[in-house]
Amino acid sequence: MSKISAPKGTRDILPPETAAWQHAEKVFADVCSRYGYQEIRIPTFEQTELFQRGVGDTTDVVQKEMYTFDDKGGRSMTLRPEGTAGVVRSYLENGMASLPSPVRLFYNITAFRYEKMQKGRYREFHQFGCEVFGSEGPIVDAELVSLLDLYFRELGLKETSLRINSIGCPVCRAEYNQKLKDYLAPHLDALCETCQSRYDRNPLRIIDCKETSCKPIVREAPALLDNLCPECQTHFDGFCKHLEELEINYTIDKGIVRGLDYYTRTVFEFVSEHVGTQGTICGGGRYDGLVEQVGGQPTPGIGFALGVERLLMELEQQQAAMPGPARPSIYIAALGDAGDQARKWTWKLRSLGIRAETDLMGRSLKAQMKYAGKQSFRFSTVIGDDEITAGKIRLKDMNEHSESEVSFEQAEALLADHQKQQG
Ligand code: ATP
Ligand code: MG
């Protein structure tokens, strides 16, 4: 039979790479919990309408990239292309709006987008994200950025730059949209087809277009940041001030409008200094209108999503030290028919928290020791009738090439101690 390969745009994450993933996940959950965030887990698919409303139907994601299908009951479903819409739906559906504010949630999800495959761009990918509900002031914006800054520092990620912008509120954006349209009107024919359709529905989206036909036109366009209403200007100034208080470096980039419709005021991105168009590791912003758009009471909110594949690619490129798989501690070889005794002790060691293995293949003693050598066990021992009778084993330290005779209890204490140091 012919072989079946993984679908285009998906990838297997294999050991030893999974150790780096586990580390990134663990540190993320840990940093989040220090900031008071609790984990939320949401479904992989939702009703299509949630994303149309929550992500916005003038976005690339909704217009071009969603995996949408009818289920057997004829309902339109979509594999989540991002996490925020699902989190907002869950926040409302589960009455989290009545919890004391702010409500802080974090997630670790797979997301699905039908995109052209490129380095750092997959059809199934992973995002870590945070969402905060109920706080309007710019302090929470700066706090959220500081969480990312701390996370990156703890992973050893350097050379990323934080870019920030404000895209105002519905009031100043409406005025700005008119200004933008006036500017774009004479260039309309030169814009890509998608942008032509955006001109009336959501001209701000044009600023985010990556088509070569649109880029030079966009470059000269008036910036929303120069056209904020006084309230939005004060909010943005406050955001900058709080970042400075926290000693977080940033660059103002008037070109960041973010790809999703729901953002208001603060938007930000962390961009790698080497990777090209796939250099955005993380994007986020404030979405004060989203909860209402999904059917709730007006509720301020802010969040980010971090592309885990891109984060790990960047860490690798920077040769950041990431832990490898845990090294197994001891291999227990069995001599003759002492297999059952060897297994028994192995299981005991495991219950004591020690990474221990014994033969499962019916191998000869020589073959067992060869296997142990290849798997880089730190210690090994051989159990036979003599060892059982004497209650003592010869514990071989494979690093030091030394041996010591110890009781089973002494070995247990020594191994537990060793493993504690290893983590
Ligand atoms: P891009 O401009 O690269 O298409 P985006 O604006 O569509 O990114 P967001 O929706 O903000 O991305 O998602 C947040 C993060 O998720 C991105 O910054 C990126 O790191 C990651 N990401 C987005 N799409 C993909 C993908 N197809 N494959 C891998 N990672 C992705
Ligand atoms: Mg995209």
Side-chain angles (χ1 to χ4, degrees):
M1 271 203 279
S2 62
K3 275 192 206 144
I4 298 173
S5 52
K8 207 164 142 186
T10 67
R11 64 189 281 269
D12 300 310
I13 305 163
L14 307 173
E17 195 195 343
T18 33
W21 281 75
Q22 288 170 348
H23 178 66
E25 286 163 1
K26 188 164 163 266
V27 178
F28 184 66
D30 187 51
V31 170
C32 284
S33 92
R34 278 181 251 164
Y35 274 77
Y37 287 74
Q38 288 186 298
E39 187 180 1
I40 180 168
R41 300 193 184 195
I42 49 170
T44 308
F45 61 92
E46 299 268 3
Q47 296 188 44
T48 302
E49 193 189 344
L50 174 69
F51 301 115
Q52 286 165 340
R53 261 164 49 186
V55 178
D57 48 17
T58 58
T59 58
D60 270 356
V61 170
V62 172
Q63 286 187 335
K64 304 181 193 164
E65 298 170 359
M66 292 207 303
Y67 276 91
T68 297
F69 57 96
D70 285 343
D71 71 7
K72 291 192 196 305
R75 291 169 287 256
S76 180
M77 296 292 161
T78 295
L79 300 183
R80 61 183 173 215
E82 53 96 69
T84 305
V87 172
V88 169
R89 192 236 352 106
S90 172
Y91 171 85
L92 290 173
E93 195 168 345
N94 296 294
M96 285 188 255
S98 60
L99 296 174
S101 288
V103 174
R104 298 189 189 95
L105 300 167
F106 81 89
Y107 60 78
N108 169 6
I109 61 166
T110 47
F112 306 85
R113 296 184 191 178
Y114 195 80
E115 299 203 70
K116 227 184 269 151
M117 266 291 294
Q118 288 165 59
K119 197 166 176 251
R121 193 174 290 286
Y122 302 95
R123 291 182 174 174
E124 180 183 25
F125 59 100
H126 296 73
Q127 290 186 331
F128 296 159
C130 282
E131 315 290 352
V132 194
F133 299 95
S135 180
E136 196 171 7
I139 296 178
V140 65
D141 306 35
E143 194 198 71
L144 196 65
V145 169
S146 81
L147 182 155
L148 282 162
D149 183 69
L150 180 61
Y151 178 53
F152 292 155
R153 268 190 287 146
E154 295 209 352
L155 285 182
L157 184 73
K158 295 180 221 108
E159 297 156 47
T160 51
S161 64
L162 167 64
R163 306 201 184 154
I164 64 167
N165 191 20
S166 172
I167 57 166
C169 63
V171 177
C172 46
R173 209 180 311 160
E175 267 180 46
Y176 166 78
N177 277 346
Q178 196 47 55
K179 223 181 217 182
L180 181 61
K181 281 168 83 173
D182 293 344
Y183 162 79
L184 290 171
H187 305 286
L188 205 53
D189 290 343
L191 295 176
C192 75
E193 237 171 74
T194 318
C195 284
Q196 289 183 12
S197 76
R198 286 166 171 156
Y199 179 81
D200 281 316
R201 295 172 66 200
N202 194 347
L204 186 62
R205 270 294 66 76
I206 298 172
I207 302 283
D208 200 36
C209 186
K210 307 227 160 59
E211 293 292 328
T212 40
S213 56
C214 303
K215 273 188 174 169
I217 301 169
V218 163
R219 214 171 291 138
E220 305 297 321
L224 184 35
L225 191 68
D226 300 325
N227 291 278
L228 295 178
C229 65
E231 290 77 17
C232 289
Q233 187 65 52
T234 306
H235 194 279
F236 185 68
D237 294 341
F239 177 44
C240 295
K241 191 186 101 200
H242 294 308
L243 287 177
E244 283 152 28
E245 279 165 13
L246 292 164
E247 294 176 25
I248 294 172
N249 294 327
Y250 64 87
T251 314
I252 295 174
D253 181 342
K254 296 177 184 177
I256 298 179
V257 299
R258 309 286 308 126
L260 313 179
D261 268 357
Y262 48 61
Y263 289 104
T264 52
R265 293 189 167 167
T266 306
V267 286
F268 63 86
E269 290 183 351
F270 277 91
V271 183
S272 132
E273 284 169 12
H274 347 92
V275 202
T277 45
Q278 268 69 259
T280 310
I281 293 172
C282 173
R286 182 162 275 288
Y287 46 77
D288 292 343
L290 178 63
V291 174
E292 203 178 356
Q293 207 163 311
V294 176
Q297 295 297 317
T299 309
I302 180 166
F304 67 77
L306 169 70
V308 187
E309 281 79 2
R310 291 191 199 172
L311 171 71
L312 290 168
M313 264 168 55
E314 190 57 27
L315 283 163
E316 196 183 316
Q317 199 159 27
Q318 294 183 14
Q319 297 177 329
M322 294 289 276
R327 187 177 174 186
S329 290
I330 182 167
Y331 186 80
I332 298 136
L335 183 64
D337 17 298
D340 52 347
Q341 299 287 346
R343 284 192 294 278
K344 212 167 153 188
W345 195 49
T346 304
W347 284 317
K348 180 171 184 206
L349 290 178
R350 290 169 178 163
S351 75
L352 296 172
I354 295 156
R355 286 188 286 274
E357 276 187 49
T358 190
D359 180 49
L360 297 179
M361 306 297 293
R363 288 189 173 113
S364 70
L365 184 61
K366 198 172 151 205
Q368 289 181 55
M369 294 318 289
K370 200 169 150 198
Y371 169 85
K374 272 197 200 147
Q375 299 295 314
S376 74
F377 287 90
R378 172 65 195 266
F379 297 97
S380 69
T381 193
V382 179
I383 292 191
D385 290 341
D386 291 352
E387 282 74 19
I388 309 292
T389 317
K392 281 189 172 154
I393 55 167
R394 299 187 72 78
L395 190 64
K396 197 164 156 189
D397 185 326
M398 315 271 269
N399 262 21
E400 310 287 327
H401 302 288
S402 60
E403 258 187 24
S404 52
E405 195 175 58
V406 289
S407 70
F408 282 96
E409 292 72 23
Q410 284 169 327
E412 285 159 13
L414 195 146
L415 289 163
D417 200 43
H418 162 73
Q419 188 144 326
K420 211 184 273 165
Q421 287 168 22
Q422 295 274 302

